[in-house]
Amino acid sequence: MLTTTRKKALIPIREYYFSDHPAKSAPLELVTFFIQAKTPIQGFRPFISRIIQLQQSTSQLAQALSKSTRYKIKRAERNGVSPVYNRSPDTSALRNFKVFFDAFARGKGIAHCSLSKLESLARQNALLISHALNPNGSPTVAHAYVVDQSIGRARLLYSASHFRSMSDTQQRNAIGMANRLLHWSDILFCKNEGLTTYDLGGVSTNSQDPEKRAIARFKLEFGGAELTEFTGCISKNPLMQRLISTLQRPVA
């Protein structure tokens, strides 16, 4: 289990990643957030992710890729795309990642990257950042991972690419290929680091949202298996707990 502490709007937040027994972990902050816990407690919601076991050989991992994905990875390699890694990002690297991701987020209308989350993970040596660089050295794709070395798990936290800013179909396709190459390189990097589980993050195969279904199909291209875990908040403050319970209540 990995534990980090950060602040959001001056509210201290304790985050537990991959807890075995959330009920046995006393909340130490006003808000305690459990992310992908193995067992649920009241109010937690199921979280379905895509997991790849890295104990397999490289050839076995490659065989699990879809035929189309293998082709696109090779195309990106021929195009001169280079993956680069930062296992100990400093403040400048974190801010640069945020700038890159936030530009992507604005185009999609999603939440911006949390710099405090990145900083809290970096302090724990629990952050991995990767980029896919064009031959001219400029990044076109960026990934950030939560890394829990104690259990050998890397979990995709943020993924951004700037294909939406490209009007040329060929450029957009090239960025899509670079993204697949970066994921494949990330898998191999994590395997070489001695990690045993590569977590692609949430999948929503049954979602009514076409974009979420497209993301799920993309993640399925890399093989692996579904894993259901549980995510939710608790608080040591009764008033805050009631508010959290209301927010976590499923919509009828």
Side-chain angles (χ1 to χ4, degrees):
M1 181 177 67
L2 174 68
T3 306
T4 65
T5 302
R6 62 189 182 94
K7 287 188 177 182
K8 184 174 183 179
L10 301 180
I11 297 175
I13 300 174
R14 172 80 71 178
E15 294 180 325
Y16 291 92
Y17 291 87
F18 320 124
S19 170
D20 288 334
H21 302 288
K24 296 181 180 179
S25 301
L28 301 179
E29 301 290 352
L30 185 60
V31 176
T32 304
F33 188 26
F34 289 91
I35 303 164
Q36 292 177 249
K38 288 186 178 180
T39 56
I41 59 178
Q42 185 177 3
F44 280 25
R45 295 180 180 179
F47 184 94
I48 301 173
S49 57
R50 196 77 186 171
I51 297 294
I52 297 173
Q53 298 300 336
L54 300 179
Q55 299 95 328
Q56 304 172 73
S57 67
T58 300
S59 60
Q60 288 174 317
L61 291 168
Q63 191 61 36
L65 302 173
S66 72
K67 183 178 179 180
S68 172
T69 298
R70 290 198 296 272
Y71 169 76
K72 291 174 182 177
I73 289 169
K74 292 183 183 299
R75 280 285 305 275
E77 290 173 334
R78 289 199 296 270
N79 290 343
V81 175
S82 303
V84 295
Y85 293 91
N86 192 338
R87 190 66 179 84
S88 302
D90 58 16
T91 300
S92 177
L94 298 181
R95 292 185 182 277
N96 288 340
F97 181 89
K98 178 174 172 57
V99 169
F100 188 93
F101 183 89
D102 287 356
F104 165 79
R106 284 192 294 274
K108 290 194 67 176
I110 61 175
H112 286 192
C113 169
S114 168
L115 183 60
S116 67
K117 183 186 288 285
L118 294 181
E119 290 171 338
S120 66
L121 290 167
R123 286 194 296 270
Q124 297 278 341
N125 194 33
L127 183 66
L128 166 65
I129 290 178
S130 63
H131 289 88
L133 303 184
N134 276 336
N136 64 10
S138 62
T140 58
V141 184
H143 298 160
Y145 293 86
V146 176
V147 179
D148 187 343
Q149 201 77 43
S150 68
I151 62 171
R153 184 169 179 174
R155 193 270 203 189
L156 184 64
L157 179 64
Y158 293 115
S159 176
S161 57
H162 285 185
F163 70 91
R164 280 176 171 78
S165 64
M166 301 293 180
S167 57
D168 182 84
T169 300
Q170 187 174 358
Q171 287 181 311
R172 291 165 67 95
N173 290 339
I175 292 175
M177 290 186 286
N179 193 21
R180 287 167 173 82
L181 171 60
L182 187 59
H183 272 293
W184 172 240
S185 297
D186 292 348
I187 290 169
L188 298 183
F189 181 89
C190 291
K191 177 179 174 62
N192 291 335
E193 286 283 294
L195 302 176
T196 56
T197 303
Y198 180 82
D199 183 347
L200 277 158
V203 292
S204 303
T205 53
N206 297 321
S207 173
Q208 298 303 308
D209 184 334
E211 184 156 358
K212 287 183 178 180
R213 292 201 303 271
I215 292 171
R217 288 195 300 271
F218 173 84
K219 292 179 179 181
L220 291 175
E221 293 179 13
F222 295 89
E226 284 189 1
L227 176 65
T228 300
E229 295 169 306
F230 304 90
T231 293
C233 285
I234 57 177
S235 175
K236 64 182 180 182
N237 181 286
L239 292 177
M240 179 64 77
Q241 183 60 55
R242 282 200 290 271
L243 175 60
I244 289 171
S245 298
T246 300
L247 293 175
Q248 292 184 153
R249 189 178 302 146
V251 178

